[in-house]
Amino acid sequence: MAHSEQVTAAVRTVDAVLSRMRALGTTLPARDGVAVFNRVYLTVTEAVDRHIDGGRFTDSRAAIALDVRFAERYLAAVDALEDGHRPPACWRPLFQFRRHPGVRPLQFALAGINAHIGHDLALAVVDTCRTLGCEPVDLEDEFDRVGDLLVSLEERVRDELMPGPDLLRITDPLAHLLGSWSLERARDAAWAAARALWALRRLPDVAGEFTERLDEAVGFAGRMLLTPLPD
């Protein structure tokens, strides 16, 4: 298959991912915590898709593969829940608290971003390396560009979902929660975790334990982000 044909086939897969997220959004109440995150993530994926189409990634094939493998992790967690299976620990807090009246939309968005960046992104890098037969260092440019889009989106999410300055005082518990988590730090940790998992790929028992501990730690952080708050 020619390179252009490979890219076209992968783009159809990106389109399928986008279609799945759009369809999921139509089935959920707007205030549902998964719906809140899904809207955020759909915006990210659409932005990545536009950048790929505009030739803004050095290696479009790698960018497409990473984008798709990344999205598949989130969609697989949703499928596991819908099929009655136990989803990864990183996603459980969002699924458990998705309809809690004391959790604010910004908390839902950040808890989903925490799960997806803190756990799924590292595994998606490893998945992509296996798919393309490359090393994590070969994906660093694509990783950084996707990360830049996520950072810009997080700023937009905070602007759209953050209560106004007259409502969010420095003593507001939400202000303390927001100050306890950083997407930039989560992205840096994801890259370190991806490199570690790749280095451990010939030690499956150790890699499995590392992944399990990562999943649990990210899930713990997500539970803290979803602490119900007073009005």
Side-chain angles (χ1 to χ4, degrees):
M1 182 182 291
H3 175 70
S4 61
E5 293 174 332
Q6 289 176 322
V7 171
T8 300
V11 167
R12 285 198 296 267
T13 306
V14 173
D15 288 342
V17 165
L18 288 169
S19 295
R20 174 72 199 287
M21 283 192 276
R22 288 172 184 141
L24 181 61
T26 65
T27 66
L28 299 172
R31 184 62 174 73
D32 181 282
V34 176
V36 173
F37 170 73
N38 192 74
R39 288 194 295 273
V40 170
Y41 191 36
L42 176 58
T43 302
V44 172
T45 308
E46 289 172 337
V48 172
D49 195 33
R50 287 194 300 271
H51 282 222
I52 291 170
D53 289 344
R56 298 176 67 177
F57 284 94
T58 304
D59 186 341
S60 58
R61 180 168 175 258
I64 290 166
L66 180 58
D67 187 34
V68 172
R69 295 293 177 268
F70 191 29
E72 285 174 343
R73 290 276 171 181
Y74 158 59
L75 295 173
V78 173
D79 287 342
L81 184 70
E82 291 179 349
D83 293 341
H85 301 305
R86 191 170 174 81
C90 61
W91 286 106
R92 286 175 213 155
L94 180 60
F95 294 158
Q96 291 168 354
F97 285 80
R98 61 194 292 181
R99 296 183 179 89
H100 196 295
V103 179
R104 305 181 193 180
L106 180 56
Q107 293 175 261
F108 289 135
L110 292 183
I113 294 172
N114 170 70
H116 206 36
I117 302 297
H119 174 265
D120 293 353
L121 184 54
L123 274 62
V125 170
V126 173
D127 292 342
T128 303
C129 287
R130 287 176 172 149
T131 298
L132 300 181
C134 66
E135 302 276 333
V137 67
D138 299 319
L139 300 176
E140 191 165 7
D141 286 346
E142 287 67 36
F143 181 96
D144 287 342
R145 286 182 181 272
V146 170
D148 290 342
L149 286 172
L150 289 166
V151 169
S152 65
L153 180 77
E154 187 205 18
E155 294 170 356
R156 176 177 152 187
V157 167
R158 286 177 184 255
D159 288 343
E160 291 181 357
L161 298 181
M162 177 88 77
D166 56 326
L167 299 177
L168 186 63
R169 302 179 302 276
I170 194 169
T171 56
D172 191 314
L174 181 57
H176 291 276
L177 281 178
L178 296 180
S180 69
W181 188 85
S182 162
L183 189 147
E184 294 247 19
R185 289 197 298 268
R187 184 178 70 168
D188 290 345
W191 181 246
R195 293 179 61 200
L197 282 170
W198 187 251
L200 293 171
R201 66 190 182 281
R202 294 185 179 88
L203 299 170
D205 290 345
V206 180
E209 184 174 351
F210 181 96
T211 302
E212 183 178 351
R213 296 294 175 264
L214 176 66
D215 190 22
E216 292 172 349
V218 173
F220 179 77
R223 176 62 186 84
M224 295 301 100
L225 286 169
L226 292 170
T227 300
L229 301 174
D231 292 333

